[in-house]
Each structure stands twice: as structure tokens, then as C-alpha cells.
DNA sequence: ACAAGAAATGACTACGAATTCATCATGCCC
DNA sequence: GGGCATGATGAATTCGTAGTCATTTCTTGT
């Protein structure tokens, strides 16, 4: 039994200890720590000396308890295996660090949003950023209605009273369709995903609607819904599409991993990209720019999205009755070698062609 | 100013409130919460009913304050852009969640280990897992000497009195050398990295030593040290190597991203892998198995390493005088299409050939 | 039915930092 | 030099939980 009850972190020097050693009251130590001007320089000096000597560190639990806030923010992530999410987490972490907040991370694979929301209610965190498109929990609905400090990032739910930040996935899908049609692609296919995720749903809808508007409705056999967002799914999907009597000459994949799987699958069947088949992805993860894939894709303004999500969250932590915002940022089509190499800019005008 | 001083998390129902409503003492509420057997079923029922009605959640700060522990573990990571680290983080998170611990994440890019160690001293976290190979701070040295709950994961420092878990990088490098020689490669090159990281250093040393033992010392012009572990560095390195009068026929890259960069660079210069050039990586990140790279590489027993690191950490949190362990786990050469396609198993025996 | 013991419960307290309020010291002005 | 403002400091208090210890209530055996 190495620990007494109520054991404290290593040093376990308290502000009372410091006060005693510096022959002042605990209140004065607290004042010095908080840089209160009402301390005589001489006294401050003495206290600072003892603080340094004892290597005092304030007890975080006591401080949080007293202050009523934790200075920590919760982040719920999913599928860290997909590069977009580590990148997002990295951005969130960097920005929170700059703001002096800690970041507690939950993986939505283990209980979805619930553990994070629970932590919020217990005061473990001051607010929560939800990035994972988990099922719409009634738990979340309720918390959201309470005006709790919860922000949905890269995920929208129309009737939640929570702040939400996403990029314009509808427009992203539209851009891809416009681009492919403008470049004269004739047989355009779509590899989509589970419609539970709002982002995916919007990408698909934007893509379809734009095709329709251009008189090029997507035929059912050119649509493949993959159950998971994996490389293997992309391979499988492209294999099906290429087995068709009239295989597509362009495929839009709703995210980059699917696109890379599709590319590898197509190549394995002897197709050349982009000579025989164009492939477009979504997200612009780092690998997309590497030589092996050199993937045309849609890039979201990640840093900006994260910044806005954190802004909204901190604002709401400050005042829970702050107005609810649903932000939707524009994104950008990044054209690379998986499309376009030898096709000249098409004559058919698109709404926003980026030849 | 929407918040009173000492504001509490949303509900802000305390155990006193519950006690009042259930017409019992706060102590009894506490007992019910902690499942103390000394509560009459009837009383327990009444309290539970109020607990449910009020949606009571214990105040985490007060609890942590009182209990003297945070039930949180800190993790310092680096370069989340390299897939190995998100995978590691995911494993750590999953295992901690299973143990009922929260995970606070710091990116070593912002202050190195210091913020995490500081948090440890303040009791924000009960222990820290350091995965990032940052500079050897005197801060850490000191903390380590104190017997604080710190574990180095995938990183070794000989004279730190901390628990350490890594895989046998020396042996991993050795295996690669043995394999390449055994398969009859004649001109073997090495793309290495900053020797600050113990893992990288060991991989290089193991590789070199094994070559020497086999009478195939690495000539200086076949060694390239990249400053960063990036795809671009790999491309750059391979370009240099291929410009040599006698370019290598096999390259060992000390991690997978470098290997992928090298592969893309080699292909861009018209070389075929593995027909003209073999490439071997290290880490076996997910992409390594994808068709575009199909990379031969060395896999570390990640889940096991994480499990052992957490075991050691929790043991040390329990008793700071626990014996110090330096664990070193074996790893595995995973042979794929970036090597070996048409070379038959060599006649020359290697120590542990895996043809 | 009563004592003795066990079970159930409540009053009270500690934990550490930050804050309020009271008090004491100091300097300044006329 | 007396009085008053201001600056510096300490005593006391608060926060919510989980303990300790004392007290009350119940159960059981005779």
C-alpha cells in the first residue's frame, strides 16, 4: 500500500506548504500564482522563490473543482485508420493547445458519443466536438436541446439544436459531376457509401442532381454502394463496374480510400488510369498527391472548419444561450493525374469548369 | 455573464440535492452510488429513483479531488500524418477505454513532452505514455528519476529509469539485410533518417551489422540520410541513388512512407519494382498492403506493445516503486510484391530466411 | 419481551485553491 | 501630527464527494 488515502500527485506540495515556507498566508500564495497586483514586490519575490524551490504545481482537480471548469475539450473521432481523421485530430489538437485547452479523445467505436457526453455532464470536459457520424442518439438529441456545449464537425443533423460545421458536400459532389461532364466523359459511375453519414449522402445527392440537371442521369447499374469505406470495398466495387458490358469511363468515389481501392482494382484488371478510366475521390488525404495515385479529389478547408468549430464551442461554453450556428464552408476540386491527362478541356460548358 | 462563480456542469445536481429529495443523508446517497451493501433495499430504491429522475451525474472534479486520481492517462504522439501513429493511438484508446480510463492526447509538436509531464505533476492525468521521439529533455530525465508514472512506447533511452516498451528494431533491420542477401541482391542501399530517434538508429545499425557479418558492408554512396520522414524525402533519396553509375538493386527504407516515396520516385524514373529494384519498408502501415505499393516491410506487434505499455503504466501508478521494465518484442518480416517476384529463393543461407 | 448484536443511517470532516471580507500598515495631505 | 485613502495581508469560507465515527433502528436468540 504505497498510497495514503486521498493520495496526491507526486510532489504533493500544496499552496499551504508554500505559504508556510514563505511565511505568508495561503491567500497570498494564490495571489502570486494568479498575478494579482496587490502583492508587495518583496513578498512576491519570496513566494516565487519558494514556489520554484518546492517545484510547486497546483492540484488540477482542486483547481477545476473550485473554478467549475476543466479546461479540457472532448473530441469524438472514428476510423483513425482513414487519414482524414488523424489530420483533423491533429488540427484540433494544435488549435486547442494554442488556446490552453487539453484534448480528451474518444473513439466512437466504443460506445459512440455516449462516453463523451457523459463526461461533459460530469464536468470532465467543458465541451465536446463530435466528428464521428455515429447513429443519431436520443442521448445527443437531449443534450443538444439543453444547449450544452456540443459541436458537430463534418457532420450535420438538421433538427439538432447544436452548432454544426461542415463543408458543402452537396456542392462538392456537384463540382465533380460538372467537371466530368465538361471534360466529355460519357459513362459516369458512382461508388457511394452508407447513407447514414450526412457527408456521404450529400456528396452523392449533389453529384446525382448535377448529372440530372445536365441531362445525364445516373443509371442504376453505374451506382455501387459499398458497405464500408475501405480499400477492399473500392476494389470490389470497381471490379463489378468493369464487368459490365459497357464499363464506365469515369468513376466518382465518395472518399479517397474508396478511390484508391478502385484505382488499384482497375489496374489489377489491366485498365490504365486515366487513359481508360478516370477516377475522382473526395477529401484530399495526403496520399492522394503521391505518385502511385495522383488522385483528383475534392479538398475541404479543414483548418478553417476546425477553427470555426472551436470558436463556436468556446462561445457556447461561455454562454449556453448563444445563438445556434450551422456553418457550411466551400471546398475545392483538386485536379491531378487520375483524370484529364489527355482529354482536352471539353466544349460543353460546366457551371464551374476547372480545366 | 451567463455563469455564476464556481459554475458547475449543466445539470448541477449534487449528491446533497439528491439526498434532500430522497429524504436521506448525503452519505447514504454516496453509499448507493458506490454500491455499498449497508443500505436497506427500500432506501436504495428510493435513492435510485431520485438519481434517475434528477439525471444526477457526479461532479468529476470533486470526485477526482477527493479520490486523488483523475482516471485519465496522457498520451504524447507525434506526426499523426504517418499512419503508424494513428493506429497506435487507436489501440491505446481502445485498451484504455476498456479499462475505464480516459485518454488525453498531446502532440509533441507543441512543446514536446513538457505539457504532458506538467499535467502529470498537476494530477490531470495519473500517468503518461510517451510515443514521440522528442529530444531527451532534462525535464523527463528528472521525472523519470522520481519514479513517476511514465512509459516510453516505441522509444528507448538507455539511462532513463522509466519503463520502456519497444519492438526489436535491431533485429528488424537485421532480418531485412539477411533477407535481401539471401535472395541474392547484389547492390543493397539504405535510406535512413535522423538518428535522434532510437527506433531508426537501431534499424539502421541492425541492418548494417548484419550486412557486415555477411561480408557485404554498406558503401557510403549507398546510404542516404533523409532529414524528414516524408514521401518527398523518399523520392529525393531514390533519385540520388538511381543517378549513381551503379544504382542499387535493393533499397531498405527505415519506414514505410520513405519506401513509398522511393517507389514512386523509382517508377517516375522508369524503374520497375521489383523487376529492376527491390524496395523494403518498415512498420507495415495499412497502405503497405495496397496494390499500388504492395510493400515488403517489417511489422511490429502493435497491440501487444500497447498492452504491455499500459500494463506497466497502471502497475506503476499503483506503486511508484515497482521494478523498472524494458520490454522488447519480436517483430515480423512481411514479404510482398515490392520484392521477390521473380527471384527464386537464394542458395546462400541467411540466419532466418523467410523465402 | 428484552438484551445483545448487527445493520442502517446521519452528522461531520477533509481535500486544495480561490475568493471575500476584515484588518493592519503605509503614505500622503493639510 | 492627525486623519484618511490606499495598499498589503490574513482569517475564514466555499465548492461536492467520500470517507469516519457516532447514533439510531432493526433482528435475533433466549
Amino acid at each position: 500500500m504505497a498510497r495514503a488515502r486521498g493520495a496526491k500527485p507526486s510532489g504533493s506540495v500544496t499552496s499551504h506548504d508554500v505559504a508556510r515556507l514563505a511565511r505568508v498566508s495561503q491567500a497570498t500564495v494564490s495571489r502570486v500564482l494568479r498575478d494579482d497586483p496587490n502583492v508587495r514586490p518583496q513578498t512576491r519575490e519570496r513566494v516565487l522563490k519558494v514556489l520554484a524551490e518546492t517545484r510547486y504545481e497546483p492540484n488540477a482537480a482542486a483547481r477545476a473543482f473550485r473554478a467549475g471548469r476543466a479546461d479540457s475539450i472532448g473530441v469524438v473521432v472514428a476510423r483513425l485508420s482513414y487519414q482524414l481523421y488523424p489530420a483533423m485530430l491533429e488540427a484540433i489538437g494544435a488549435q486547442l493547445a494554442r488556446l490552453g485547452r487539453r484534448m480528451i479523445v474518444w473513439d466512437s467505436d466504443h460506445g459512440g458519443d455516449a462516453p463523451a457526453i457523459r463526461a461533459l455532464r460530469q464536468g470532465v470536459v467543458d465541451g465536446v466536438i463530435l466528428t464521428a457520424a455515429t447513429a443519431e442518439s436520443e442521448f445527443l438529441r437531449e443534450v443538444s436541446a439543453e444547449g450544452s456545449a456540443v459541436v458537430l464537425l463534418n457532420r450535420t443533423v438538421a433538427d439538432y439544436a447544436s452548432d454544426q460545421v461542415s463543408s458543402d458536400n452537396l456542392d462538392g459532389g456537384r463540382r465533380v459531376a460538372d467537371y466530368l461532364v465538361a471534360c466529355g466523359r460519357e459513362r459516369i459511375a458512382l461508388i457511394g457509401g452508407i447513407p447514414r453519414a450526412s457527408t456521404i449522402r450529400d456528396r452523392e445527392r449533389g453529384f446525382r442532381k448535377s448529372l440530372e440537371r445536365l441531362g445525364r442521369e445516373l443509371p442504376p447499374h453505374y451506382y455501387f454502394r459499398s458497405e464500408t469505406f475501405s480499400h477492399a470495398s473500392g476494389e470490389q466495387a470497381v471490379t463489378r463496374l468493369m464487368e459490365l458490358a459497357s464499363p464506365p469511363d469515369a468513376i466518382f468515389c465518395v472518399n479517397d480510400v474508396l478511390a484508391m481501392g478502385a484505382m488499384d482494382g482497375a489496374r489489377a484488371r489491366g485498365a490504365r488510369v486515366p487513359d481508360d478510366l478516370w477516377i475522382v475521390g473526395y477529401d484530399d488525404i495526403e496520399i492522394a498527391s503521391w505518385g502511385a495515385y495522383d488522385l483528383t479529389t475534392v479538398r475541404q478547408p479543414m483548418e478553417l472548419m476546425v477553427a470555426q468549430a472551436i470558436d463556436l464551442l468556446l462561445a457556447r461554453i461561455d454562454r449556453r444561450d448563444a445563438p445556434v450556428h450551422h456553418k457550411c464552408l466551400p471546398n475545392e476540386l483538386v485536379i491531378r493525374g487520375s483524370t484529364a491527362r489527355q482529354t482536352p478541356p471539353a466544349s460543353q460548358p460546366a457551371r464551374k469548369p476547372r480545366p
Side-chain angles (χ1 to χ4, degrees), chain A:
Chain A
M1 65 131 99
R3 293 148 50 84
R5 81 183 119 253
K8 287 149 277 167
S10 50
S12 99
V13 180
T14 73
S15 57
H16 280 99
D17 298 333
V18 174
R20 191 164 26 75
L21 290 168
R23 281 166 298 117
V24 295
S25 68
Q26 181 267 332
T28 297
V29 175
S30 184
R31 275 188 273 263
V32 170
L33 287 170
R34 305 185 7 83
D35 252 331
D36 187 310
N38 284 342
V39 180
R40 211 157 33 125
Q42 182 190 339
T43 311
R44 157 166 286 122
E45 194 96 359
R46 207 165 70 234
V47 172
L48 284 174
K49 185 150 162 278
V50 175
L51 284 172
E53 282 170 5
T54 55
R55 329 198 91 262
Y56 169 82
E57 290 285 350
N59 179 312
R63 176 173 273 187
F65 176 34
R66 167 74 217 211
R69 69 198 145 69
D71 287 332
S72 295
I73 299 294
V75 181
V76 178
V77 295
R79 291 193 300 127
L80 282 179
S81 55
Y82 184 48
Q83 269 206 320
L84 179 70
Y85 296 110
M88 193 185 275
L89 193 62
E90 200 169 25
I92 295 172
Q95 296 191 26
L96 286 178
R98 221 171 294 134
L99 293 164
R101 302 300 207 292
R102 288 177 291 267
M103 176 173 74
I104 301 190
V105 178
W106 284 271
D107 189 326
S108 71
D109 283 356
H110 307 92
D113 300 330
I117 301 298
R118 192 127 195 280
L120 179 63
R121 300 181 66 114
Q122 299 189 341
V124 175
V125 293
D126 301 324
V128 172
I129 299 176
L130 298 175
T131 72
T134 54
E136 311 183 3
S137 56
E138 79 279 23
F139 200 9
L140 174 56
R141 186 173 298 278
E142 188 180 302
V143 165
S144 154
E146 283 170 8
S148 294
V150 173
V151 174
L152 306 193
L153 176 56
N154 198 34
R155 165 182 182 192
T156 55
V157 182
D159 58 339
Y160 277 9
S162 291
D163 298 308
Q164 307 184 9
V165 178
S166 64
S167 72
D168 194 338
N169 290 288
L170 215 58
D171 182 65
R174 190 184 63 61
R175 280 188 195 208
V176 174
D178 289 358
Y179 166 68
L180 293 177
V181 171
C183 291
R185 293 289 106 183
E186 291 296 334
R187 300 178 306 284
I188 299 174
L190 170 61
I191 299 179
I194 41 166
R196 217 160 40 96
S198 62
T199 51
I200 302 303
R201 222 166 36 220
D202 287 351
R203 289 169 196 180
E204 291 189 19
R205 269 181 43 212
F207 184 74
R208 282 173 182 279
K209 279 172 78 172
S210 184
L211 284 185
E212 282 169 27
R213 199 166 18 76
L214 296 166
R216 306 283 291 278
E217 198 166 338
L218 185 81
H221 58 279
Y222 275 3
Y223 176 62
F224 189 97
R225 166 174 295 164
S226 51
E227 293 304 312
T228 61
F229 294 115
S230 66
H231 185 268
S233 291
E235 277 184 311
Q236 191 189 336
V238 82
T239 302
R240 291 283 176 81
L241 290 171
M242 289 180 72
E243 279 165 353
L244 294 173
S246 162
D249 62 0
I251 305 178
F252 171 40
C253 306
V254 293
N255 84 12
D256 283 349
V257 178
L258 287 176
M260 291 168 186
M263 236 162 132
D264 285 326
R267 285 172 176 161
R269 293 182 60 90
R272 288 164 308 159
V273 177
D275 308 59
D276 304 323
L277 176 63
W278 285 23
I279 290 186
V280 178
Y282 207 111
D283 287 337
D284 193 26
I285 62 177
E286 192 191 347
I287 320 168
S289 67
W290 294 1
Y293 295 108
D294 199 23
L295 184 70
T296 293
T297 186
V298 180
R299 179 191 299 157
Q300 310 187 54
M302 186 61 71
E303 287 283 337
L304 194 58
M305 287 167 67
V306 167
Q308 299 214 352
I310 292 177
D311 274 359
L312 289 176
L313 189 64
L314 296 187
R316 182 158 304 280
I317 289 168
D318 226 41
R319 2 180 323 165
R320 51 187 306 126
D321 60 341
V324 173
H325 289 277
H326 285 206
K327 303 239 179 183
C328 187
L329 293 125
N331 37 39
E332 179 189 356
L333 181 63
V334 180
I335 294 177
R336 297 208 184 88
S338 70
T339 63
R341 196 165 289 156
Q342 47 264 88
T343 306
S347 54
Q348 183 176 357
R351 289 250 301 231
K352 280 190 188 177
R354 297 191 163 214

